[in-house]
Amino acid sequence: MKLGIVSDLHCNIDGLDRALETMGPIDALLCLGDSIYEFSFSNAVIGRLRERDALTILGNHEEIFLGAAGERARSRPDIDRPLLDWLAGQPHRRELRIGGRRILMVHSTPWEPRGSYVMPTSSELQRFGEADADIVLYGHTHQQVVRRVGRVLVINPGSAGEARDPRNGRQLSCAVLDTVTEEVVVRDYPALPIGRQSERG
């Protein structure tokens, strides 16, 4: 199977749609959290994820939005309630078995307390090798990682919504994983200026 992987969409429907176009034919879409901002919701982004039956998890921005601090933000009248309920029903992590591979989806880290920013050069990346999985997918840092740590293949697709990675010229990015060969293709594409995006929240 070919899995399309996106993370940190941050209400950027244009970034998500161009990721889907860039990835080409995929068998499933996986979203690694932070599809919204902590105080801003995107009907378009969450609607697209639901429409594509995306396997989605929650990130730190969803935790704030769905928690006590996000009560006022959640009360906005323009938020589609069924979409909000769909997002609220997603877990913080998913353990999948696809094509004989055990795949763990997390937003930041496989260990608790979660929330650390494990950058590509961080020594903490070695801890991913302790995960009870063949493949670990994570986001949070907005920076790409494709690395084998011990027996574990670790993948961070970068951000499809808010470019911060200086190594790819601060472009948006997504990844496609072939679960049979474990080949990973990371695809970069330019971030449009905010004024040209069709929706930012």
Side-chain angles (χ1 to χ4, degrees):
M1 289 184 70
K2 286 196 173 180
L3 305 180
I5 309 164
V6 294
S7 189
D8 298 276
L9 299 167
H10 291 298
C11 295
N12 187 342
I13 184 60
D14 174 76
L16 173 56
D17 282 344
R18 286 191 299 137
L20 291 168
E21 181 181 350
T22 299
M23 290 188 288
I26 54 175
D27 297 299
L29 176 64
L30 281 57
C31 178
L32 304 176
D34 280 6
S35 51
I36 60 172
Y37 277 117
E38 55 188 9
F39 299 116
S40 185
F41 190 85
S42 171
N43 292 326
V45 166
I46 305 307
R48 185 77 76 246
L49 292 174
R50 188 176 72 166
E51 168 190 306
R52 293 292 300 248
D53 292 322
L55 294 166
T56 301
I57 59 173
L58 303 178
N60 54 296
H61 280 255
E62 285 91 351
E63 287 188 45
I64 294 170
F65 188 86
L66 297 169
E71 185 175 355
R72 183 176 173 190
R74 292 194 306 275
S75 68
R76 280 175 31 195
D78 58 317
I79 292 176
D80 184 307
R81 296 295 138 182
L83 291 178
L84 177 59
D85 292 344
W86 180 85
L87 182 63
Q90 303 307 309
H92 290 287
R93 61 191 282 148
R94 286 182 183 270
E95 297 177 13
L96 312 174
R97 189 172 286 273
I98 298 176
R101 302 290 198 276
R102 295 170 303 153
I103 301 173
L104 173 62
M105 297 171 59
V106 295
H107 181 64
S108 56
T109 60
W111 59 85
E112 296 287 344
R114 59 183 180 268
S116 296
Y117 284 86
V118 183
M119 309 304 280
T121 56
S122 171
S123 62
E124 276 199 304
L125 198 60
Q126 295 303 310
R127 291 188 65 185
F128 280 73
E130 301 166 8
D132 186 22
D134 301 308
I135 302 168
V136 176
L137 311 176
Y138 83 109
H140 196 43
T141 66
H142 297 224
Q143 295 202 10
Q144 303 164 4
V145 172
V146 179
R147 192 172 307 168
R148 191 166 291 281
V149 181
R151 57 177 179 72
V152 179
L153 177 61
V154 181
I155 303 167
N156 186 325
S159 172
E162 190 174 272
R164 294 183 197 166
D165 195 338
R167 297 168 307 155
N168 72 342
R170 297 190 187 280
Q171 296 188 89
L172 300 176
S173 60
C174 56
V176 177
L177 165 66
D178 186 319
T179 60
V180 175
T181 64
E182 294 193 353
E183 178 189 15
V184 182
V185 177
V186 178
R187 301 192 183 277
D188 300 324
Y189 52 98
L192 291 182
I194 287 176
R196 290 184 55 202
Q197 293 172 11
S198 51
E199 178 178 341
R200 286 290 291 188

